[in-house]
Amino acid sequence: MVDRRGTSCEPDDVCKYGYRDDKTYWLSTIDRFEQQPRVPAEGTDIRQYISRCAVCLTTNLVLAFHSQRASVTPDCPEGWRGIWTGYSFLMHTAAGEGGGQPLTSPGSCLDYFRSAPFIECVNDICDVSSNQLSFWLIGIPGGEREQWNQPRRVVGGLDVLRQRISRCRVCVYNGGLYEDIVAKEAPPGVTATGVFNFGG
């Protein structure tokens, strides 16, 4: 893990590393406010706050599906298989900066709901800043009949808010369904080989 991931290069062929106060953001292991570092973490103390990950390879399409319901986890479409379920994560901001990903991305479906799902690092020091915000897709309590109504304001702890966050499921394409449709509908000489198959 390196909290400063890049170097800046100028037109006169001079590159500098460690001269800027660039920030990086990392998924964190912090579940509740009480687990946040009391003082900014540095050195090897940073590791306990950084989430670990695995890199996986597939030749099939992987997408996230969101229910916009807190009590309903969506099913995968026909021809798809579920990998995991989670909570619909939109984006984050801190110190006027931020980022996110498309809602179709598996990264928008996090296993756990956390009010501070990321930690900010700058100059080899990491901390949960007081101005950082996380944005989550909210579940519409009454479904379609209430989607145009004025939303009711809710302030509460994690247990209260977790009941309002949209649920999601990440699915991988199993193959078969679309190939069968193409095989039936395609003109002579056109095959369905490789439909939605990336890298295969």
Side-chain angles (χ1 to χ4, degrees), residues 165-179:
I165 303 300
S166 167
R167 300 306 305 274
C168 54
R169 188 184 302 269
V170 174
C171 306
V172 60
Y173 176 64
N174 265 342
L177 174 67
Y178 299 104
E179 284 81 351

Side-chain angles (χ1 to χ4, degrees), residues 6 21 49 68-69 95 98 119 126-127 136 139 153 159 162 173:
D21 289 335
Y49 299 109
Q68 295 191 54
R69 304 285 189 279
I119 191 167
C126 299
D127 198 10
W136 302 78
R153 294 183 176 182
D159 295 334
R162 187 179 285 116
Y173 176 64

Side-chain angles (χ1 to χ4, degrees), residues 12-31:
D12 58 359
D13 297 334
V14 174
C15 295
K16 297 178 181 178
Y17 176 75
Y19 280 80
R20 294 167 54 91
D21 289 335
D22 291 333
K23 301 176 179 67
T24 57
Y25 300 92
W26 304 77
L27 283 179
S28 75
T29 59
I30 300 168
D31 276 325

Side-chain angles (χ1 to χ4, degrees), residues 60-139:
N60 291 328
L61 189 61
V62 178
L63 294 175
F65 296 87
H66 304 269
S67 68
Q68 295 191 54
R69 304 285 189 279
S71 59
V72 177
T73 302
D75 294 324
C76 293
E78 185 178 352
W80 298 67
R81 176 176 51 86
I83 306 176
W84 75 81
T85 60
Y87 296 86
S88 303
F89 180 61
L90 284 173
M91 62 176 290
H92 71 274
T93 62
E97 303 172 1
Q101 63 282 309
L103 285 174
T104 55
S105 165
S108 69
C109 186
L110 297 186
D111 276 350
Y112 303 103
F113 170 68
R114 295 180 167 118
S115 61
F118 64 97
I119 191 167
E120 177 185 281
C121 297
V122 59
N123 291 335
D124 301 323
I125 296 174
C126 299
D127 198 10
V128 177
S129 63
S130 59
N131 62 0
Q132 76 178 44
L133 299 171
S134 62
F135 296 85
W136 302 78
L137 193 63
I138 197 75

